[in-house]
Amino acid sequence: MLRYILKRLLMVVPVMGVVTVVVFVLSRVGPGDPVTIMLGEFATAEQIARTRTALGLDLPLPAQYFAWLAQTLQGNLGLSLFTRKPVLELIAQSAAPTVLLTLCAMVYAVLVAVPLGVLAAARAGSLVDRAVMAGAVLGFSTPVFVLGYILAYVFGLRLGLLPVQGFPGLEAGPVAVLRALTLPALAIGATFVALIARVTRASMLEVLNEDYIRTARAKGLRRPVVLLVHALKNAAVPVVTMIGIGFGILLSGVVVTESVFAIPGIGRLTVDAIFRRDFPVIQGVVLVMSAVYVLLNLLVDLSYMLFDPRIRY
Amino acid sequence: MMRPSFLRRALAATALAAIGIAAIGVAAMPAAQAQSVLKVLIDGNVTTVDPVVTTESMAIQHGFMVYDQLFALDAQSRPQPQMVASYERSADGLKWRFVLRDGLKFHDGSPVEAKDVVPSLRRGAARKASGAALFRHVEAVEAIDARSFELRLSRPFGPVLEMMADPLNALFVMRAADASTDPARPLTTSIGSGPFRFVQEGWKPGDRAVYVKNPDYVPRAEPPSAMAGGKVVKVDRVEFSHIPDATTSAQALMSGEVDVLVFPQLALMQVLERAPGVEVQMLNPIGEQGILRVNHLVPPFNNPKARQALLYLLGNQTDHLAAIVRLPKLQKPCWAVFGCGTPLENTAGIGDWAKGTDVEKAKALLREAGYDGRPIVIIDPPSNDRIHAMSLVTAQKLRQAGVTVDVQAMDIGAWASRRNERGDPKTTPNGWHIFHTHGKMISQGDPLANSAAVATCDGKNWVGWPCDEDLQKQLEAYAFVAPEGRAAWVQSYQARFFQALPYVPVGQFLLPTASRAVVSGLLPVQGYPVMWNVQKR
């Protein structure tokens, strides 16, 4: 297994190499100039040229790329063009809200979706099954911002129970953090409840038709034991894959949720950087998120061994 | 078939899981805060703490928290001493001597001295329109002693104090070491002598910027009047943050999570006005001026007749203003170049177009200009609702006049860069004919700070590159016009302006500020709202 892990990790190197080139080229070839944005509405061409020189943006693109690559290989992702803060510091600062939001959303999604999926499969064709599947379609089809506004209106404005926006910072303590993340987690988690419930149901239905399930039933095992111990474990591989992909999607795709709920996470950092053409931040975030995505995929692959003893690396 | 007991348990577990997270979150309400904290939503993130290097509004608002000015504009737009205790002007108007107030201190404890003021003025002048206008006529600026400095002019430039008091192009006083930094390089720390101290470790770009009351600040004895007078701080801490989503911003104010929303989205004004516990105020009585800018280098707008056709399409400006601000009480149709409600308001040169849209006249002028049916490219950043509204109305009016219009939507970053492209859209893919923007009237109404009015023929002026030597000569002459001669000056200037048309004014509109009812003391200002004098009950 160690050999497999090392092999997979080695494969990360060329992937990241390609990522550096792609993200550098994409961020530079598009229209937009950070200096024009930085200097504001009425800057003259002369002022723009001076600032471009001061920030090293007048160098040829290959020179800029290799300079960035050299410092990246030393673990330094450079400085934001605007804040002049280290990109790594900005990413670290934004990572906490995003990671916590992702975890909350996924825990909520799994806790709700897996039982619902099992239930729907166990009662396939019944009213319960149809209700669960209809709920899944609704959850998947409702845009996160619509659900976000509804939740904020009901729980924030009408009932006054939860904040409608913001992230208080880890220093505010777990209760304040959970309060801030509850509504966004419910909003973004809805899609994953729908997805995981559907995948769980489909996978369970497949497993429930297997001979070993019939054997387990014939042995007189109680229905819950058959469902949760025998069937669910064997149906778990696609569900775990879905959860793993979901983590990746959530970590890198919470832009809308973070915007609606004003959470200063990776999504907002990325969008702000793109709007401002803050090249070092765009490059740094994409690089780090790509690495996280690759590592998450590796972890998901390794986790298959826990659920299916036939899988060995 | 599952047993009913298992079904019940499974359903109960599902319901509990769904409620679980919410229940944990609801479990406790936040503890009461001992300090008086004012949470303010501004119109963007504080992404740079150097108010000199950029003209971004967030940096300016940050600047007024942390730094102080030598002079400041009062509610009547008159410059009043702020850091300056006294000053004198020589009889020939060429020599100005200023003495700083006693007891001024930077936030690191060091005294504010004339040696700090001199490089601060120089750095500011390198980036700010007002400072640049002043320094074009400065022969020397020197520290005389710790508290005095002298400004020597090559010509008797009139509005010296006005330039030092400009709230949008503020010449903030920094420590000598900071002020000696290249103005093209943003500072990363912010140590001023203003009424608030910047909490460097509390600055999380993209989240919030934190300020605390400066206990060493000695306010002037005069009562506050706009940006001038005593800057008395009445809260312990101010937090600036930004919510990109307009609806969430309004909800945050309505739920009491924030105290002040500096510029609420105008589409949500009626919701906020009806919300309990929320007050909407018009802090800036003259507001902003909408601007239609054409590319003067390319056909058809390199011909003044084509530019004048735009006047007849805009007419009485009400279509544009209605699209920008919707509510009639926020609209202020005004063709005066330097604005209405400003010292230079006048009607010279305003023709019959101001009565209403005249499509036929516009068509005739376009024909005279030789318009050949080419698509007119309007660049439009939809994320800015005001610019977007103006762009769409202009496009529709041009279409009514038989013009082929190509509205190209893009993000604000691409839009800002694209405007620097000088080429003809017919041959240059990134070329453009028209864009809209808007500027604060306090700046647009000042001939020395209004960058859109500059019509030098060297191609170094603001994008659009208008060229009219006569108009430019008149504009430059303003600096040497005595106050009593300004009314005559603006008559002559404005008459010529509407012939050359460096830009088309789209009228004025007001931007209200919303706050919780527990907040009081927001001062009426013509720039951005300031946080001194503000109280939270």
Side-chain angles (χ1 to χ4, degrees):
Chain A
M1 188 172 77
L2 191 65
R3 196 185 151 106
Y4 173 78
I5 293 172
L6 285 174
K7 198 172 136 194
R8 287 284 299 265
L9 287 175
L10 274 177
M11 281 165 64
V12 171
V13 177
V15 169
M16 297 312 289
V18 173
V19 168
T20 63
V21 176
V22 171
V23 68
F24 187 88
V25 172
L26 282 182
S27 61
R28 307 300 170 115
V29 296
D33 171 22
V35 175
T36 318
I37 298 162
M38 180 190 295
L39 297 191
E41 183 67 15
F42 298 109
T44 62
E46 192 185 345
Q47 289 164 344
I48 291 170
R50 270 194 72 188
T51 306
R52 285 181 67 79
T53 306
L55 295 173
L57 293 170
D58 60 336
L59 297 171
L61 279 187
Q64 288 184 48
Y65 172 73
F66 286 112
W68 172 64
L69 190 64
Q71 66 182 21
T72 299
L73 289 173
Q74 295 166 45
N76 173 9
L77 294 176
L79 298 177
S80 156
L81 295 175
F82 289 80
T83 64
R84 308 306 291 160
K85 286 199 170 202
V87 172
L88 267 178
E89 185 187 320
L90 293 174
I91 292 175
Q93 219 168 58
S94 309
T98 301
V99 170
L100 285 173
L101 174 58
T102 301
L103 280 172
C104 284
M106 205 38 101
V107 166
Y108 152 67
V110 170
L111 287 179
V112 174
V114 172
L116 283 178
V118 171
L119 193 64
R123 307 287 302 267
S126 70
L127 198 63
V128 173
D129 180 26
R130 285 176 196 170
V132 169
M133 286 306 100
V137 170
L138 189 69
F140 192 71
S141 319
T142 309
V144 68
F145 64 89
V146 172
L147 189 56
Y149 287 145
I150 293 171
L151 289 171
Y153 179 74
V154 174
F155 292 100
L157 277 184
R158 302 303 299 180
L159 301 175
L161 292 174
L162 292 163
V164 298
Q165 56 85 37
F167 181 77
L170 295 177
E171 62 278 8
V175 172
V177 167
L178 267 176
R179 277 173 51 79
L181 293 181
T182 300
L183 294 183
L186 291 177
I188 198 171
T191 305
F192 288 91
V193 169
L195 274 175
I196 295 170
R198 285 188 74 92
V199 170
T200 306
R201 177 183 177 274
S203 185
M204 282 291 288
L205 281 178
E206 205 179 312
V207 169
L208 286 173
N209 287 324
E210 294 287 340
D211 290 342
Y212 62 86
I213 296 295
R214 225 182 340 269
T215 306
R217 282 179 186 156
K219 274 162 56 183
L221 289 177
R222 289 175 59 217
R223 180 86 176 189
V225 176
V226 173
L227 279 176
L228 299 179
V229 179
H230 291 261
L232 185 58
K233 190 177 173 190
N234 286 294
V237 170
V239 179
V240 170
T241 306
M242 188 66 242
I243 293 169
I245 293 170
F247 263 113
I249 293 170
L250 278 173
L251 276 174
S252 55
V254 289
V255 176
V256 176
T257 313
E258 288 183 356
S259 292
V260 169
F261 289 98
I263 293 171
I266 294 284
R268 264 188 76 186
L269 178 71
T270 314
V271 170
D272 287 349
I274 290 170
F275 278 150
R276 294 174 160 271
R277 306 296 191 271
D278 196 343
F279 299 139
V281 177
I282 300 171
Q283 291 158 195
V285 169
V286 173
L287 202 61
V288 169
M289 294 317 293
S290 304
V292 168
Y293 204 86
V294 168
L295 289 175
L296 267 176
N297 271 332
L298 175 60
L299 285 176
V300 169
D301 287 351
L302 293 176
S303 74
Y304 292 160
M305 288 190 301
L306 296 174
F307 301 103
D308 190 341
R310 292 168 301 181
I311 298 174
R312 282 286 171 266
Y313 298 110
Chain B
M1 194 74 182
M2 267 195 302
R3 285 203 309 250
S5 60
F6 173 70
L7 247 181
R8 275 200 299 275
R9 279 202 298 274
L11 281 171
T14 304
L16 278 173
I19 295 165
I21 293 173
I24 296 166
V26 175
M29 301 304 283
Q33 287 155 328
Q35 279 192 322
S36 168
V37 181
L38 191 71
K39 295 188 175 180
V40 183
L41 289 182
I42 59 172
D43 50 334
N45 290 310
V46 176
T47 48
T48 172
V49 291
D50 186 344
V52 171
V53 83
T54 176
T55 53
E56 271 192 345
S57 66
M58 296 78 79
I60 297 168
Q61 290 169 82
H62 163 84
F64 274 104
M65 298 291 283
V66 178
Y67 298 99
D68 217 347
Q69 283 177 293
L70 295 168
F71 286 81
L73 286 188
D74 67 10
Q76 283 73 45
S77 299
R78 293 172 308 205
Q80 302 291 351
Q82 184 53 243
M83 296 176 80
V84 164
S86 62
Y87 65 97
E88 58 189 42
R89 173 179 178 264
S90 65
D92 59 4
L94 292 176
K95 204 183 277 184
W96 293 70
R97 188 170 281 203
F98 303 89
V99 180
L100 295 172
R101 280 202 285 146
D102 200 15
L104 296 175
K105 261 193 221 172
F106 286 112
H107 301 155
D108 63 0
S110 60
V112 178
E113 296 183 344
K115 69 174 171 51
D116 301 300
V117 174
V118 171
S120 296
L121 288 175
R122 287 191 190 287
R123 188 166 192 264
R127 287 291 297 116
K128 304 290 180 184
S130 304
L134 170 62
F135 267 68
R136 271 198 286 277
H137 311 288
V138 168
E139 239 170 31
V141 52
E142 283 171 4
I144 305 296
D145 55 43
R147 284 182 55 208
S148 316
F149 66 98
E150 189 173 85
L151 198 66
R152 288 200 296 280
L153 304 175
S154 56
R155 291 180 69 185
F157 180 83
V160 169
L161 305 185
E162 283 88 342
M163 297 297 100
M164 288 184 174
D166 188 327
L168 293 187
N169 295 283
L171 299 173
F172 291 120
V173 175
M174 302 177 159
R175 296 179 303 177
D178 294 336
S180 305
T181 309
D182 180 352
R185 278 185 184 278
L187 295 173
T188 53
T189 54
S190 204
I191 295 173
S193 63
F196 291 92
R197 287 181 178 176
F198 179 55
V199 182
Q200 188 81 30
E201 59 277 15
W203 178 36
K204 293 178 182 167
D207 183 10
R208 76 191 77 167
V210 178
Y211 308 85
V212 293
K213 180 179 180 172
N214 173 13
D216 295 333
Y217 187 76
V218 183
R220 295 189 69 90
E222 300 91 337
S225 172
M227 311 301 282
K231 296 181 177 180
V232 179
V233 175
K234 298 177 179 174
V235 290
D236 299 310
R237 178 182 165 103
V238 175
E239 292 180 10
F240 277 176
S241 55
H242 171 64
I243 297 180
D245 187 276
T247 308
T248 308
S249 302
Q251 285 181 332
L253 183 73
M254 289 156 70
S255 65
E257 290 170 41
V258 297
D259 303 304
V260 181
L261 177 49
V262 169
F263 296 124
Q265 196 182 59
L266 296 163
L268 296 167
M269 281 312 303
Q270 283 158 312
V271 176
L272 288 171
E273 281 175 337
R274 284 198 301 265
V278 173
E279 284 177 356
V280 176
Q281 301 174 65
M282 219 65 72
L283 298 177
N284 183 344
I286 54 172
E288 305 214 354
Q289 182 181 52
I291 294 169
L292 186 160
R293 185 75 154 186
V294 300
N295 186 344
H296 289 248
L297 304 181
V298 301
F301 298 114
N302 55 358
N303 187 319
K305 297 246 182 241
R307 302 199 289 272
Q308 283 157 9
L310 296 169
L311 298 174
Y312 286 92
L313 289 178
L314 262 74
N316 56 14
Q317 300 170 325
T318 48
D319 292 336
H320 278 82
L321 289 172
I324 302 167
V325 287
R326 295 170 183 87
L327 299 177
K329 65 181 177 185
L330 303 178
Q331 303 170 20
K332 211 170 176 179
C334 173
W335 274 107
V337 174
F338 298 112
C340 298
T342 60
L344 295 176
E345 176 180 355
N346 80 105
T347 55
I350 299 174
D352 56 351
W353 68 80
K355 291 176 190 155
T357 300
D358 186 342
V359 174
E360 292 310 314
K361 179 77 176 170
K363 278 182 181 172
L365 282 165
L366 283 166
R367 261 196 311 273
E368 284 178 49
Y371 172 60
D372 57 4
R374 67 178 66 204
I376 297 298
V377 174
I378 300 178
I379 51 173
D380 169 27
S383 61
N384 183 316
D385 56 341
R386 294 157 225 169
I387 297 178
H388 183 52
M390 286 188 270
S391 304
L392 296 186
V393 176
T394 298
Q396 185 56 27
K397 284 182 173 277
L398 282 166
R399 286 188 190 108
Q400 284 170 357
V403 174
T404 313
V405 183
D406 177 10
V407 180
Q408 296 185 7
M410 59 200 69
D411 75 81
I412 196 91
W415 174 82
S417 303
R418 179 91 175 261
R419 297 182 313 174
N420 293 298
E421 179 58 64
R422 292 168 194 249
D424 188 340
K426 205 171 180 182
T427 51
T428 314
N430 286 330
W432 56 273
H433 290 104
I434 291 175
F435 73 82
H436 287 83
T437 187
H438 49 91
K440 289 244 174 279
M441 207 59 250
I442 184 71
S443 187
Q444 292 300 108
D446 178 352
L448 297 176
N450 184 336
S451 303
V454 177
T456 51
C457 296
D458 56 3
K460 290 181 179 173
N461 49 341
W462 188 50
V463 293
W465 312 280
C467 162
D468 190 290
E469 284 175 354
D470 178 36
L471 191 69
Q472 183 60 23
K473 214 178 277 175
Q474 288 199 48
L475 189 69
E476 287 170 11
Y478 174 77
F480 308 101
V481 174
E484 57 276 14
R486 286 177 185 169
W489 174 86
V490 77
Q491 296 268 333
S492 163
Y493 176 84
Q494 189 164 293
R496 176 68 199 150
F497 179 96
F498 283 115
Q499 290 164 14
L501 268 186
Y503 69 94
V504 182
V506 181
Q508 277 168 249
F509 54 91
L510 305 179
L511 296 176
T513 294
S515 63
R516 297 292 304 169
V518 292
V519 173
S520 60
L522 280 162
L523 292 166
V525 286
Q526 296 182 359
Y528 295 99
V530 291
M531 295 305 136
W532 56 85
N533 198 54
V534 178
Q535 239 172 332
K536 189 177 168 187
R537 290 190 299 278

